[in-house]
Amino acid sequence: MGEADTVPSLVTPAIPSGSLAAIGQPTLAVAGGALLRPWLISDAEAVVEAFRDPAIRRWHVRRADSVEEARGWIRRWQGTWDEETEGHWAVAGAETGTLLGRLSLKAWNLTDGTAEIAYWTMPAARGGGVCPRAVTTVADWAPGGCLADLAGLACPGAAPRRVVVGRHGSAMPPSSALRSTAPDPAP
């Protein structure tokens, strides 16, 4: 039995346990013609393609060696919503369905209403601002505004990632809380 099971909490959780699983993972419209939608097993080939990109492999420290392996990742991503541990979305073109990237809320703390954001963008979709818009969409959607902090998972040398998360403003903790040694980009 863990400490959380034996020590009573003095606060009401920002996001009540069971509430996210009860509503199911939403599909969210992103400004500019994109969607955040739950992953589909049929996305596996595009995931393998994404992980052929050296930048995605570098910052996400894994590779997809086969479509079957990517299907396994997607099955795990699909299950984390009901477990209320993480939320993983495919970022796709609203009209084409083309995979543009991935956005994940990781390390959920329902009591505090906090999560970490991780994402990648397909090479062909980079530079169009789809990730800043997706981050804003997820932060604005958060049930009852309950995600108090979204900590970006930035990586050394990945200034564009910090800019994306930093643009959301109030949803960001101080930059010292970011997992990065990269300098803050110029305003």
Side-chain angles (χ1 to χ4, degrees), residues 29-51:
V30 177
L35 288 176
L36 285 164
R37 63 161 172 78
W39 284 94
L40 306 171
I41 294 297
S42 60
D43 292 322
E45 287 184 33
V47 170
V48 171
E49 179 186 335
F51 277 84

Side-chain angles (χ1 to χ4, degrees), residues 98-141:
T98 302
L99 185 66
L100 304 174
R102 170 182 176 237
L103 186 138
S104 299
L105 293 179
K106 305 180 82 153
W108 286 357
N109 182 322
L110 301 181
T111 299
D112 295 340
T114 60
E116 298 174 345
I117 288 184
Y119 64 85
W120 48 255
T121 306
M122 295 292 281
R126 291 183 188 146
V130 70
C131 280
R133 292 189 309 271
V135 168
T136 297
T137 298
V138 166
D140 290 346
W141 160 82

